[in-house]
Amino acid sequence: MADRDRGHYGERVAGAIATKPGSAALPLPGILPRVVDLTGKPVGVNEGGYLTVTHPWPGMMRTVFGDPERFRRSYWEHIPPQGNQYFYFAGDGARQDEDGYLWVMGRVDDVINAAGHRLGTMEIESALVSHPAVAEAAVVGKPDPLKGEEICAFVILAEGQTPSEALGQELKNHVGQEIGAIAGRGKFGLRRPCPKPAPAKLSGGCCGPWRLAATSAAICLP
């Protein structure tokens, strides 16, 4: 969804509103997004969930060519309707902060198969950013000959936080408590905030160059 939906859902025109690096900003007029759980219930502030739109908007797609039933089933009924309230869902996870800004977290169908456990990258990222020491997080799967895949988490710390073994272990314990013990295992790379362009967002696809090796800026926990 990243660039596509940030263009439709969020207003990031320079000078129009205050922007936040990595955020899709505030919804455009006429777009009514809501971050919900799988039952359609709104989640709390800064809690990860499913990014939906509660009403049609000008310019939205109207159907899948030749298969209107698939359009209704895939986009309007993945999140079960609540009475007459339907939720348009394109397959992406997000959170909404205390100022109403949307933060797209990635595709909810990105799954890591770790030792027979299927874990969504979005739910691990959501657990990480719910910790006050974390500003951003991206999670990817690394091939492992024994477990199939290993969890690799890339964490940008909040201002004033310093990478350390103790903080890394605290984050592992936090993820384990939020999701389950298996999710707290793997490699967690921590680093201080780093400069990037205003619209840039940490995501699993851009973490390749970031080697999980201990440096002065990062701590790697096996």
Side-chain angles (χ1 to χ4, degrees), residues 177-194:
Q177 291 171 0
E178 291 289 311
I179 302 174
I182 187 68
R185 301 170 187 166
K187 293 185 181 296
F188 282 40
L190 283 60
R191 68 173 301 152
R192 300 183 183 90
C194 51

Side-chain angles (χ1 to χ4, degrees), residues 39-124:
T39 68
K41 179 181 178 181
V43 300
V45 173
N46 279 321
E47 288 186 20
Y50 300 84
L51 179 56
T52 67
V53 180
T54 58
H55 293 79
W57 69 93
M60 74 170 292
M61 63 183 292
R62 298 179 61 184
T63 188
V64 172
F65 180 73
D67 196 349
E69 176 65 22
R70 179 185 174 191
F71 175 68
R72 180 182 61 81
R73 185 177 63 251
S74 299
Y75 291 95
W76 289 99
E77 295 185 351
H78 184 87
I79 307 294
Q82 306 294 313
N84 292 326
Q85 175 65 71
Y86 282 74
F87 301 92
Y88 175 84
F89 176 61
D92 298 277
R95 62 184 174 90
Q96 197 162 21
D97 67 18
E98 60 279 357
D99 297 318
Y101 282 61
L102 291 166
W103 299 77
V104 178
M105 299 171 63
R107 301 288 299 177
V108 300
D109 52 5
D110 286 342
V111 176
I112 297 173
N113 190 349
H117 297 268
R118 292 176 61 81
L119 302 166
T121 57
M122 190 202 76
E123 61 180 331
I124 302 175

